[in-house]
Amino acid sequence: MKKKEHKECLSALMPVRDTLDIIGGKWKILILISVWEGNKHFREIERSIPKISTKVLSKELKEMEINKLITRTVVNGFPVRTEYTPTPYSKTLRKVIKELQRWGLNHRKEVFGR
Amino acid sequence: MKKKEHKECLSALMPVRDTLDIIGGKWKILILISVWEGNKHFREIERSIPKISTKVLSKELKEMEINKLITRTVVNGFPVRTEYTPTPYSKTLRKVIKELQRWGLNHRKEVFGR
DNA sequence: ATTATTGATTACCTTAAGGTAACTGATTAC
DNA sequence: GTAATCAGTTACCTTAAGGTAATCAATAAT
């Protein structure tokens, strides 16, 4: 019986891990906020996030597209523009991010004193 | 004006980063749940989490103590036992973890279809 | 005395994440 | 023709995270 409880506890963690894979790491939330703010083009997003490299941005954008947080559309034109837009679905993360933010704010008080 | 908005956006992220530093990574939430479930001793916790190594557990427990998620008390006795117990404060993470879990569950449906 | 258990620490190695910088190819401006 | 912009890619290097295994000190059981 104990074993069963244990397994259930672990399987309950899988979704948590999934979520952390998607918004965890150093850049994902930054990028999300950047596109939420209206930045659409690769260089635009790059410039909006201090210290990010093209390589990392490129990689992260791909992963975020796979995870349906952004849409990538190539606008066939003269300087070949690419547009990244947040999906409506990405907005469902707002609540999660708010919770993370709220807890983090309170935690500073708790650890470093008032 | 744009610059100011940008700075504010970044500072709002600091608490999010703090939170992810504390509960992110591979093991922290596992350990938290293990102690919430009543596991108190080092070996007990270690055995409750498949694949974790003593080194990592030791390191994580220290960090979690610093972050006031667990209390470490050495019980001077015959085999010198150490007890790890979750703090009441650690329970404030339940809401956050629930949100992460909820989103992750829904995400599987979204990405891999129903 | 030897072995086992508890709670770790240490040294060493592997893997993964992230950074640096050069380069491609297309087009437009000078 | 040269430089610059856009959207990346590629190769290479560094750092950080994590795993493996040996070891230590204390005590208890055999």
Side-chain angles (χ1 to χ4, degrees):
Chain A
M1 292 300 136
K2 287 252 165 177
K3 249 180 191 166
K4 199 175 179 184
E5 280 183 286
H6 187 55
K7 282 229 168 184
E8 273 164 38
C9 134
L10 285 180
S11 70
L13 273 168
M14 281 183 48
V16 177
R17 282 264 230 272
D18 288 345
T19 306
L20 289 178
D21 282 346
I22 289 157
I23 60 165
K26 216 169 168 181
W27 302 112
K28 298 260 170 54
I29 296 179
L30 274 304
I31 295 166
L32 210 50
I33 289 172
S34 180
V35 292
W36 278 345
E37 283 198 335
N39 295 311
K40 280 180 164 33
H41 305 294
F42 192 90
R43 296 293 177 204
E44 206 175 9
I45 299 165
E46 192 181 5
R47 281 188 298 257
S48 78
I49 302 169
K51 305 264 178 184
I52 200 168
S53 67
T54 59
K55 178 195 160 186
V56 171
L57 180 57
S58 172
K59 196 199 66 184
E60 306 278 89
L61 285 170
K62 274 177 200 161
E63 290 172 17
M64 291 169 75
E65 203 197 344
I66 288 166
N67 287 313
K68 302 194 177 176
L69 302 182
I70 51 170
T71 311
R72 182 182 181 269
T73 36
V74 181
V75 184
N76 295 64
F78 319 127
V80 183
R81 307 213 99 197
T82 313
E83 273 191 12
Y84 297 94
T85 46
T87 60
Y89 176 58
S90 77
K91 302 293 171 65
T92 62
L93 273 170
R94 281 210 154 129
K95 217 170 144 188
V96 183
I97 294 172
K98 272 267 163 67
E99 271 302 310
L100 291 171
Q101 193 192 345
R102 200 189 50 73
W103 194 88
L105 272 167
N106 184 70
H107 183 68
R108 296 215 144 231
K109 287 185 212 151
E110 189 74 24
V111 171
F112 303 114
R114 54 202 61 270
Chain B
M1 293 300 138
K2 288 252 167 179
K3 251 181 189 168
K4 199 176 180 183
E5 280 183 285
H6 187 54
K7 283 228 168 187
E8 275 165 39
C9 134
L10 285 179
S11 70
L13 272 168
M14 281 184 48
V16 178
R17 283 264 229 269
D18 289 345
T19 306
L20 289 177
D21 282 345
I22 289 157
I23 60 165
K26 215 170 168 181
W27 303 110
K28 297 262 170 52
I29 296 179
L30 274 306
I31 295 166
L32 211 50
I33 288 172
S34 179
V35 293
W36 279 344
E37 284 197 336
N39 295 311
K40 282 179 163 32
H41 305 295
F42 193 90
R43 296 290 176 206
E44 209 175 6
I45 299 164
E46 191 181 6
R47 282 189 296 258
S48 78
I49 301 168
K51 306 264 179 182
I52 199 167
S53 67
T54 59
K55 179 194 160 189
V56 170
L57 180 56
S58 172
K59 197 200 66 185
E60 305 279 88
L61 285 170
K62 275 178 198 160
E63 290 172 15
M64 289 168 77
E65 203 197 344
I66 289 167
N67 288 313
K68 302 194 179 175
L69 301 182
I70 51 170
T71 311
R72 182 182 182 269
T73 36
V74 180
V75 183
N76 296 63
F78 318 126
V80 183
R81 308 214 96 195
T82 313
E83 274 191 12
Y84 298 93
T85 47
T87 60
Y89 175 57
S90 77
K91 302 293 170 64
T92 62
L93 273 170
R94 282 213 155 127
K95 217 171 143 187
V96 183
I97 294 173
K98 272 267 164 67
E99 271 302 310
L100 291 170
Q101 193 192 342
R102 201 189 49 74
W103 194 87
L105 272 167
N106 184 70
H107 183 67
R108 293 214 147 234
K109 288 186 211 151
E110 189 73 24
V111 171
F112 302 114
R114 48 202 62 266

